[in-house]
């Protein structure tokens, strides 16, 4: 769905502007989405700038095939919206444990924003998210 959403966005808002070059800047899951879009539409974009693209997700102690089997199992048992193994609701942020920023001011601003809009705070991935990301990244890495 994200790849289709990117296609719709580009066709409705970007391409009609007649830009000379179209480059997608993406991070993490957005990098996986942009990669798949570019693979499916090889003559559409002029470039990609990817920051830690999710091309090979980390599945903790599980090999990729085992993670796939667990995701399928959860999906078949209607557990796909539950947090994946080892995942949970977001906890209270602590600066020393923060991988997202080395800036105390930026971290404090994020904590304030999180307090104002709690709906933006994310917990860990669900089984469905993990399964779909695994399938998508496998597809993008396949030898075509």
């Amino acid at each position: 769905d994200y790849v289709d959403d990117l296609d719709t966005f580009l066709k409705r808002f970007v391409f009609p502007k007649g830009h000379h070059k179209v480059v997608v800047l993406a991070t993490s899951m957005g990098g996986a989405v942009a990669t798949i879009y570019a693979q499916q539409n090889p003559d559409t974009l002029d470039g990609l700038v990817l920051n830690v693209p999710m091309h090979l997700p980390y599945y903790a102690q599980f090999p990729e095939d085992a993670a796939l089997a667990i995701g399928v199992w959860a999906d078949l048992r209607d557990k796909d919206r539950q947090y994946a193994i080892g995942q949970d609701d977001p906890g209270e942020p602590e600066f020393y444990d923060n991988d997202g920023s080395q800036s105390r001011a930026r971290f404090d601003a994020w904590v304030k924003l999180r307090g104002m809009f709690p709906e933006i705070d994310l917990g860990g991935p669900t089984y469905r998210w993990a399964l779909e990301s695994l399938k998508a990244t496998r597809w993008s890495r396949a030898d075509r």
Side-chain angles (χ1 to χ4, degrees), residues 7-122:
D7 183 59
T8 299
F9 173 76
L10 291 169
K11 287 178 178 172
R12 284 191 185 170
F13 300 105
V14 177
F15 297 145
K17 300 278 185 190
H19 297 289
H20 296 289
K21 299 273 185 182
V22 176
V23 177
V24 173
L25 169 64
T27 298
S28 192
M29 174 59 95
V33 170
T35 298
I36 293 169
Y37 178 85
Q39 288 173 312
Q40 292 177 347
N41 303 278
D43 299 324
T44 306
L45 301 174
D46 296 293
L48 296 172
V49 178
L50 305 177
N51 177 40
V52 293
M54 193 177 69
H55 290 155
L56 183 58
Y58 172 67
Y59 301 107
Q61 70 271 25
F62 301 102
E64 190 174 54
D65 288 339
L68 180 65
I70 291 167
V72 169
W73 172 87
D75 190 42
L76 292 172
R77 285 163 181 70
D78 293 324
K79 298 180 182 297
D80 57 319
R81 296 195 184 278
Q82 293 179 7
Y83 286 122
I85 296 171
Q87 303 299 313
D88 204 347
D89 288 327
E92 288 302 313
E94 296 183 41
F95 184 71
Y96 71 85
D97 194 31
N98 176 33
D99 293 330
S101 174
Q102 298 302 311
S103 165
R104 182 67 197 212
R106 194 167 32 241
F107 177 80
D108 290 344
W110 174 74
V111 170
K112 182 178 179 182
L113 190 64
R114 179 182 186 244
M116 293 168 55
F117 303 98
E119 65 273 14
I120 67 171
D121 209 3
L122 298 176

